[in-house]
Amino acid sequence: MLNGMRDHQAGQAELRGDCERCFGLCCVALPFAASADFAVDKAAGTPCRNLREDHRCGIHARLRQKGFTGCTVYDCFGAGQHVSQITFGGQDWRTGPPERARRMFEVFPVVRQLHELLWYLSEALTLPAARPVHADLRKALDKTRELTAMTPEELAALDVAAHRQEVNVLLLRTSELARAGIGGRKKDRRGADLMGARLKGADLRGASLRGAYLIAADLTGADLRGADLIGADLRDADLTDADLTGAFFLTQPQLNAARGSAGTRLPTSVARPGHWTARV
């Protein structure tokens, strides 16, 4: 477990976006549509109109006010700096041939998925209850790291969906082991449609909320200790004063998309979003 904790702590730096070492890839490679999250339409491979020549965002401090909330909740899990500095050796898409730029934009979302898997696998190795599958988890972690080191051409051809499925089998077993020792009914709400659900004060200890749709759900004061939140859609969910202590597979982007307060209790692997309100 100590090795797993060290891996996860080291990985937290590796698997968090570092815009200073990236060529603004998320602002170019990814598409977005005019909506509550984005003020305008943008096609994949087209630079955002707010991206400056130095790869910085021209409205970074005012993204929410300008209608770009989606940018404030996104995190590439460190894929941006990896693709920029390692996969392409520090070569800027702006100054190279068009083919290089196209390949960078193609590879970026692949590496982002691999880095997200690295986050889950390294966290799984910190869970004592998952010890029976620690050896398999470490093998999967090593394999995923090897995949991130492939050439641009190999990454572009990678069947990342197949690899995700292999890893998901292990993560599902990890979840079962981790939740087995938690009190409560351990509800199975995997993939459940809970959009706008009134779950104020709900006992969700040890619940499986894998892939659940919790958009705009009222989770005020809910007990989510030891819950599996992998892939749960928490956009605009109200986590005011909720207890997520020990909840696992919770990522920073999920939390950034939710609402909360100073009274919301969180796992140590994530940070309290700056836009959350203070307790009144």
Side-chain angles (χ1 to χ4, degrees):
M1 179 189 171
L2 288 177
N3 287 336
M5 184 65 72
R6 283 195 293 268
D7 281 348
H8 189 51
Q9 290 173 341
Q12 283 185 325
E14 171 194 354
L15 301 176
R16 292 189 192 278
D18 183 353
C19 298
E20 294 295 325
R21 296 164 55 210
C22 176
F23 297 133
L25 294 183
C26 66
C27 305
V28 187
L30 306 178
F32 52 72
S35 62
D37 293 322
F38 298 100
V40 296
D41 293 317
K42 188 192 83 64
T46 301
C48 173
R49 67 184 188 185
N50 298 309
L51 184 66
R52 302 187 320 203
E53 290 296 320
D54 63 357
H55 303 297
R56 295 172 181 268
C57 175
I59 61 168
H60 187 266
R62 297 170 290 133
L63 283 167
R64 287 182 175 272
Q65 298 92 313
K66 292 291 186 178
F68 288 87
T69 300
C71 297
T72 69
V73 305
Y74 179 79
D75 191 298
C76 70
F77 290 98
Q81 67 259 28
H82 184 98
V83 172
S84 296
Q85 303 301 330
I86 298 176
T87 310
F88 285 87
Q91 299 178 90
D92 188 341
W93 59 268
R94 288 187 188 273
T95 58
E99 178 54 36
R100 180 201 294 164
R102 285 194 293 270
R103 184 65 84 189
M104 289 184 82
F105 304 152
E106 183 179 18
V107 164
F108 171 66
V110 174
V111 176
R112 199 262 185 193
Q113 291 188 65
L114 293 174
H115 274 219
E116 184 178 7
L117 291 177
L118 288 175
W119 178 276
Y120 294 140
L121 287 164
S122 61
E123 180 178 357
L125 283 164
T126 70
L127 302 174
R131 192 177 300 278
V133 292
H134 274 191
D136 290 332
L137 287 167
R138 187 165 294 281
K139 288 179 183 177
L141 182 72
D142 292 341
K143 179 180 179 180
T144 305
R145 280 180 175 154
E146 290 174 3
L147 292 177
T148 67
M150 294 195 304
T151 66
E153 293 71 27
E154 290 170 333
L155 283 165
L158 177 66
D159 187 350
V160 70
H163 182 63
R164 286 186 71 99
Q165 183 55 40
E166 290 178 13
V167 172
N168 188 57
V169 172
L170 283 174
L171 297 180
L172 183 58
R173 180 58 181 151
T174 296
S175 174
E176 292 169 347
L177 290 168
R179 292 183 298 110
I182 298 172
R185 295 175 57 190
K186 294 185 284 294
K187 299 174 182 176
D188 185 359
R189 307 308 301 270
R190 184 177 182 182
D193 182 353
L194 297 170
M195 290 190 288
R198 297 178 180 177
L199 296 168
K200 183 175 182 178
D203 182 358
L204 294 168
R205 285 175 295 164
S208 174
L209 292 164
R210 298 169 64 88
Y213 296 95
L214 287 158
I215 301 169
D218 181 5
L219 289 160
T220 303
D223 190 344
L224 290 153
R225 286 176 293 171
D228 179 353
L229 292 166
I230 195 168
D233 193 335
L234 295 173
R235 282 178 293 169
D236 205 34
D238 191 349
L239 296 172
T240 298
D241 295 336
D243 189 351
L244 289 88
T245 306
F248 52 95
F249 300 149
L250 174 67
T251 66
Q252 196 64 48
Q254 286 174 294
L255 211 56
N256 291 346
R259 292 179 287 130
S261 69
T264 305
R265 281 159 284 183
L266 300 172
T268 57
S269 59
V270 291
R272 191 177 310 278
H275 66 275
W276 280 15
T277 58
R279 187 195 297 269
V280 293

